[in-house]
Amino acid sequence: MSHTIRNKASLLARVRRIRGQVEALERALEAEKGCAEIMQQIAAFRGAANGLMTEVIEEHLRTHVASPSITSNASRTKGADELVEIVRAYLR
Amino acid sequence: MSHTIRNKASLLARVRRIRGQVEALERALEAEKGCAEIMQQIAAFRGAANGLMTEVIEEHLRTHVASPSITSNASRTKGADELVEIVRAYLR
Amino acid sequence: MSHTIRNKASLLARVRRIRGQVEALERALEAEKGCAEIMQQIAAFRGAANGLMTEVIEEHLRTHVASPSITSNASRTKGADELVEIVRAYLR
Amino acid sequence: MSHTIRNKASLLARVRRIRGQVEALERALEAEKGCAEIMQQIAAFRGAANGLMTEVIEEHLRTHVASPSITSNASRTKGADELVEIVRAYLR
């Protein structure tokens, strides 16, 4: 069972807020708003994406690497490998 | 007239692709997919947000700061001020 | 003449501060400090690098793209091209 | 004992390469090189800082959170807490 379930409600709320931001950006483009406003909207939802990533990384770390309920070393190593891979791609 | 109009179709296509990515992420969370997959999706749409920002910055720069059709120094300065403000917020 | 000259003192002060941060990090590693401290030092100097980049981008924009003293459209376009190239690489 | 010791040689080599990049940047500013070149140098060492951070995060994760040799849950939790704190600050 994946840890994303544990925080499903919180993560879904974040993703829906981001979807709302992207939809607002789409409407702003269609309405031909000024680009200063457009750029601020993009910055806002990029920030929200970073916040979501931070929350998922924390959950993954606590549930798949650090949790006392993990009894197999192989499981911990797998959880760590997955995290390393994503951090490498994200911080390139 | 804002420069966002000139590239409206291209920018809208990008934003709609990002909306599709966010909707796919929402479905993945609802379906309780594994978090490695979730993290890859977040990384992908954060990358797409950076690509969109780069395109808007380029358009703003070319149309509101560098364009030969700008005849007033005050307009150029205003265009540059807006760009500096967003770069400062984005690269904090 | 390049715009980096105009702000040379300010930019050099920033770069020297960053050099000091990197040297402190090197000493911390040699002294085998804890990694929480090491990570905070890396975060601090990455932040300083972003601040330096923001200052150089602003200077480049004001001097090589927006300045009223630029009389040739080709010069403005060249200045804009250089800026676009670096923004693309930086926000990848 | 901190994990930074284990990889001390590799991390020190990275930090010294970054110090070399910062010193080269300082010389380029003093020699009043063009700003396109300056911006490329800043981008290069910011990238190197991200690479260093990724390596330290990986080492911290493997040694202080995932390692089979950690026998206390409190130690694992402390290692995870430190990592979460740095990821939050870094991805803000």
Side-chain angles (χ1 to χ4, degrees), chain D residues 5-24:
Chain D
I5 297 171
R6 191 167 76 101
N7 269 348
K8 194 177 166 177
S10 157
L11 292 171
L12 268 176
R14 269 187 191 266
V15 172
R16 282 169 189 153
R17 210 155 42 231
I18 291 172
R19 177 156 57 79
Q21 290 175 302
V22 175
E23 288 166 355

Side-chain angles (χ1 to χ4, degrees), chain B residues 19-77:
Chain B
R19 178 156 57 78
Q21 290 175 303
V22 175
E23 287 166 354
L25 176 59
E26 193 175 339
R27 285 192 302 272
L29 275 170
E30 279 168 347
E32 300 180 357
K33 295 285 166 98
C35 44
E37 192 180 328
I38 301 283
M39 290 190 288
Q40 279 157 15
Q41 287 185 288
I42 300 172
F45 100 84
R46 208 266 306 239
N50 279 340
L52 175 64
M53 185 57 116
T54 304
E55 186 173 336
V56 177
I57 284 176
E58 175 169 1
E59 283 308 303
H60 181 88
L61 177 66
R62 297 206 185 279
T63 317
H64 293 305
V65 192
S67 171
S69 68
I70 301 173
T71 49
S72 128
N73 288 331
S75 293
R76 271 193 221 285
T77 299

Side-chain angles (χ1 to χ4, degrees), chain D residues 24-65:
Chain D
L25 175 59
E26 192 176 339
R27 286 191 301 273
L29 275 170
E30 279 167 348
E32 301 181 357
K33 295 285 168 99
C35 45
E37 192 180 330
I38 300 284
M39 290 189 289
Q40 278 158 15
Q41 287 184 289
I42 301 172
F45 96 72
R46 208 264 309 236
N50 280 338
L52 174 65
M53 183 58 116
T54 303
E55 186 172 337
V56 177
I57 284 176
E58 175 168 359
E59 283 308 303
H60 181 88
L61 177 67
R62 297 205 185 280
T63 317
H64 292 304
V65 193

Side-chain angles (χ1 to χ4, degrees), chain A residues 46 91-92, chain B residues 46 50 90-92, chain C residues 18 42 45-51 53 86-92, chain D residues 18 21-22 25 39-53 90:
Chain A
R46 208 266 308 239
L91 297 188
R92 216 182 359 166
Chain B
R46 208 266 306 239
N50 279 340
Y90 212 72
L91 297 188
R92 216 180 358 166
Chain C
I18 291 172
I42 300 172
F45 101 85
R46 207 266 308 240
N50 279 339
M53 184 57 116
I86 208 72
V87 167
R88 260 197 212 128
Y90 211 73
L91 297 188
R92 212 180 4 162
Chain D
I18 291 172
Q21 290 175 302
V22 175
L25 175 59
M39 290 189 289
Q40 278 158 15
Q41 287 184 289
I42 301 172
F45 96 72
R46 208 264 309 236
N50 280 338
L52 174 65
M53 183 58 116
Y90 211 71

Side-chain angles (χ1 to χ4, degrees), chain A residues 3-5 8 15-16 19 26 29-30 32-33 35 39 46 50 53 56 60 64 86 90, chain B residues 3-5 8 15-16 19 26 29-30 32-33 35 39 46 50 53 56 60 64 86 90:
Chain A
H3 76 74
T4 50
I5 296 171
K8 195 178 165 179
V15 172
R16 283 172 188 149
R19 178 157 56 80
E26 193 175 338
L29 275 171
E30 279 168 348
E32 300 179 357
K33 295 286 168 96
C35 44
M39 290 189 289
R46 208 266 308 239
N50 279 339
M53 184 57 116
V56 176
H60 181 88
H64 293 305
I86 208 72
Y90 212 72
Chain B
H3 75 73
T4 51
I5 298 170
K8 195 178 166 178
V15 173
R16 282 172 188 149
R19 178 156 57 78
E26 193 175 339
L29 275 170
E30 279 168 347
E32 300 180 357
K33 295 285 166 98
C35 44
M39 290 190 288
R46 208 266 306 239
N50 279 340
M53 185 57 116
V56 177
H60 181 88
H64 293 305
I86 208 70
Y90 212 72

